[in-house]
Amino acid sequence: MSMDASIPPALRRLNRATVAWLNSWWRLLQFAVLMLPLAFSPTSYRGANRNLLARHIVRDTAPNLAWYGVLSALVSLVLIRIVVVTSQSYGLSRFALEMVVRVLVLELIPLTAAAFVALRTTLPAGLEFSQSRNSAANTSEAELRQEFFPRVAAGVFAVWILAAVSCVMTLILAYLSMYGFTPWALPGYTRVVGQVFNPAVALILVLKIVFFSFAVGLIPMASSFYFGSSYRAKVTHGLYDMVRLFAVMLLIEIASLMGNYY
């Protein structure tokens, strides 16, 4: 009796699934290593490459910034109002601003910005781009620099801009919602915000946004780099990319919560 015949089918399936899972993460790491030198290479930002990069950044950032800015402002106003009213009803008004900053600016804004860019830009762009490719075997350095790197960089940059603009806008809306159009509350407001954003919390927020942006930019394009352009592979890996991307974002969010509150 052969060794394969003695292994139960369930264990063989588990073994194949585990190998495929590890192989997919290894390929993602390889793709990230390919993108890293391009990000630090001056050639990626010169001549025609600069024009390609600028076009992708504007295309992926400008429409998302307009839509996400409006949606973020509306949701922020609603949540700020809920927090303020709830705090007043329990006699905890002095903690309302700190709760708004921690819940919205530190946690919700970076997560929703990354999810918004992924769903509207990088995941659809990765699926669309995969149709024009066969495999990674025929990929040259020029194609990596002109086709893949601009798309990855645009996704990363879009998350940075959306998160930064939305955080600033939320802080402004929180001030106006609580104190109105008066400059006299600025000292107390800046003191509370400064107490929340101590060096450790600020560093965790920046790192979270950076890791979110790397996941959003790299994961969809890695599948386009390695897998074929057939419809079955396109749909399968598109769904798998979505699951893997949001799993990575969840792990990053859990790590940031542990860093902020433990």
Side-chain angles (χ1 to χ4, degrees):
M1 179 180 295
S2 64
M3 183 176 296
D4 290 340
S6 64
I7 301 176
L11 289 180
R12 290 201 297 269
R13 289 194 297 269
L14 178 62
N15 177 67
R16 288 195 296 267
T18 303
V19 171
W21 182 79
L22 293 175
N23 189 40
S24 66
W25 286 104
W26 175 247
R27 285 175 167 174
L28 176 60
L29 180 60
Q30 287 179 318
F31 183 73
V33 171
L34 290 174
M35 292 294 105
L36 184 62
L38 296 180
F40 291 98
S41 174
T43 308
S44 302
Y45 308 97
R46 293 175 182 170
N49 295 329
R50 180 176 57 189
N51 295 333
L52 285 172
L53 180 61
R55 183 164 64 249
H56 280 284
I57 287 177
V58 172
R59 186 187 65 186
D60 292 352
T61 304
N64 290 330
L65 184 60
W67 279 104
Y68 184 75
V70 174
L71 294 176
S72 177
L74 293 176
V75 173
S76 296
L77 286 173
V78 173
L79 292 178
I80 290 169
R81 184 61 182 170
I82 292 173
V83 171
V84 171
V85 172
T86 305
S87 301
Q88 290 175 348
S89 64
Y90 287 97
L92 301 172
S93 300
R94 64 184 183 276
F95 300 113
L97 178 59
E98 182 176 351
M99 292 173 61
V100 167
V101 173
R102 288 189 178 276
V103 172
L104 286 178
V105 179
L106 294 183
E107 308 302 339
L108 291 182
I109 294 297
L111 182 62
T112 55
F116 192 87
V117 174
L119 293 175
R120 276 187 58 90
T121 303
T122 57
L123 286 171
L127 291 175
E128 181 181 358
F129 184 60
S130 66
Q131 289 182 319
S132 61
R133 305 193 69 257
N134 292 323
S135 65
N138 301 323
T139 304
S140 63
E141 182 179 355
E143 186 179 2
L144 281 173
R145 192 184 303 276
Q146 296 174 4
E147 299 293 342
F148 285 93
F149 176 70
R151 288 175 168 84
V152 172
V156 171
F157 184 80
V159 175
W160 291 356
I161 291 297
L162 263 64
V165 172
S166 299
C167 286
V168 173
M169 183 173 60
T170 300
L171 291 174
I172 295 173
L173 291 175
Y175 179 86
L176 295 177
S177 299
M178 294 181 179
Y179 305 110
F181 293 90
T182 175
W184 307 114
L186 275 175
Y189 175 80
T190 54
R191 182 172 61 254
V192 173
V193 174
Q195 290 173 351
V196 174
F197 282 99
N198 59 59
V201 171
L203 178 61
I204 291 173
L205 176 62
V206 171
L207 290 177
K208 178 165 66 172
I209 294 174
V210 169
F211 285 122
F212 276 162
S213 66
F214 287 166
V216 168
L218 288 170
I219 290 177
M221 296 309 300
S223 289
S224 299
F225 180 73
Y226 283 108
F227 298 109
S229 59
S230 65
Y231 179 79
R232 181 181 180 85
K234 176 176 178 289
V235 174
T236 300
H237 292 292
L239 296 175
Y240 183 71
D241 285 344
M242 184 181 298
V243 174
R244 181 164 59 170
L245 175 57
F246 284 102
V248 171
M249 291 171 58
L250 179 61
L251 291 176
I252 296 172
E253 182 64 28
I254 292 173
S256 71
L257 289 173
M258 294 177 63
N260 283 329
Y261 303 108
Y262 285 95

